[in-house]
Amino acid sequence: MKPNITLAETKAPNGARMTLVEHDGSYCIRVNGQQLMHSSVSSSEIKLGELGLARHRKLNNGTRVLIGGLGLGFTLKSVLEATGGNGTVHVAELFPEIVAWNRTHLAKLNGHLLADKRVKVLEEDVRTILAKAVRQPFDVIVLDIDNGTTAMVKTENIELYSERGMQLIFRALKPGGRAAVWSACPDVTIERRLTKAGFKVEAVPAKLYETAKRFAYMIYVADKPVEEVSPKKAKG
């Protein structure tokens, strides 16, 4: 049996040990030894990008996309495949180490995509980017931050999925825009909060890998009306 090889490691803001591990040509990122993502089970990340770009596939209209979370680059791959030549894909990744891992250890996996002229890497908190986007909103926002609503890396990430976080996403989209949010499990609270923010929401099951018999994850596809309706004010 081939051994697991630790290629790199860093510490998360909460002190957790985050490692990049390779085994027999596959890669995974672990947090305190627990698998956060793996290159052999990337079907849901790919589907996330496909669903997010479904309305804008191959349109040469300067589509602006924001991806929250780089990870192993599979969502970026599917987004780029669907984005027109004059589109722009902003990738928000809080950890410079993950960006560096993609450019080096993961270059042959998906890291080489960071050199695509349409890609702009933003090493900052996605919430900061969303707040600034009110002035120049996106057509599509695709979110796969941390472990969905169950934060493993940064506790503050939970705030992104709060009512205020959903409203922030709503305001950061153009009228008629779409958000796609990855969740590790069905989450009626997220669905309710997206709806309350003003979105029309569809819950789409996703598999671990293409040939899996069961669905493991959920992707929430949230469409903003063309005619904007002000969301209800959050109580807290």
Side-chain angles (χ1 to χ4, degrees):
M1 181 179 292
K2 294 186 178 180
N4 290 315
I5 301 172
T6 299
L7 300 175
E9 66 177 76
T10 188
K11 276 194 174 182
N14 62 1
R17 180 170 175 259
M18 189 158 55
T19 55
L20 174 65
V21 178
E22 184 268 336
H23 176 259
D24 197 18
S26 294
Y27 300 87
C28 73
I29 293 178
R30 296 175 179 171
V31 177
N32 286 337
Q34 183 179 353
Q35 182 175 299
L36 180 64
M37 60 192 77
H38 198 289
S39 62
S40 66
V41 286
S42 57
S43 182
S44 67
E45 288 92 338
I46 293 171
K47 188 169 186 176
L48 177 68
E50 292 173 346
L51 288 170
L53 270 292
R55 284 181 164 185
H56 296 81
R57 187 170 182 82
K58 297 296 184 182
L59 294 181
N60 286 308
N61 60 354
T63 302
R64 281 172 46 81
V65 183
L66 172 63
I67 300 176
L70 173 59
L72 297 174
F74 286 99
T75 298
L76 173 60
K77 178 182 179 181
S78 65
V79 165
L80 285 174
E81 288 175 353
T83 301
N86 65 347
T88 305
V89 180
H90 298 77
V91 182
E93 177 51 62
L94 185 62
F95 294 98
E97 295 88 348
I98 289 183
V99 177
W101 295 351
N102 272 271
R103 294 190 191 279
T104 54
H105 303 294
L106 303 172
K108 292 183 179 180
L109 185 66
N110 294 309
H112 63 281
L113 297 174
L114 296 178
D116 190 298
K117 65 179 182 179
R118 295 168 293 174
V119 176
K120 293 185 177 181
V121 179
L122 307 172
E123 295 180 6
E124 56 183 304
D125 194 312
V126 70
R127 290 175 299 167
T128 303
I129 298 168
L130 289 169
K132 293 188 290 187
V134 174
R135 297 188 295 272
Q136 192 176 6
F138 293 97
D139 296 285
V140 179
I141 296 173
V142 177
L143 292 179
D144 184 6
I145 298 292
D146 208 329
N147 194 40
T149 57
T150 308
M152 292 175 62
V153 178
K154 191 169 184 283
T155 305
E156 291 84 349
N157 285 332
I158 295 174
E159 296 177 14
L160 180 63
Y161 301 98
S162 67
E163 287 189 6
R164 289 183 178 179
M166 297 297 106
Q167 291 179 12
L168 188 62
I169 295 167
F170 187 89
R171 292 193 296 270
L173 278 171
K174 296 178 183 178
R178 167 173 286 188
V181 182
W182 186 94
S183 178
C185 59
D187 193 325
V188 293
T189 301
I190 286 296
E191 188 169 0
R192 176 180 57 80
R193 288 173 179 172
L194 284 166
T195 301
K196 187 174 181 180
F199 288 107
K200 179 181 178 182
V201 184
E202 179 184 3
V204 181
K207 298 178 179 180
L208 272 170
Y209 49 92
E210 193 62 35
T211 58
K213 294 181 179 180
R214 298 182 180 181
F215 294 100
Y217 307 124
M218 192 67 74
I219 297 171
Y220 291 95
V221 179
D223 291 325
K224 182 173 181 176
V226 175
E227 294 185 5
E228 188 170 337
V229 178
S230 298
K232 297 178 182 179
K233 186 176 180 181
K235 294 181 180 179

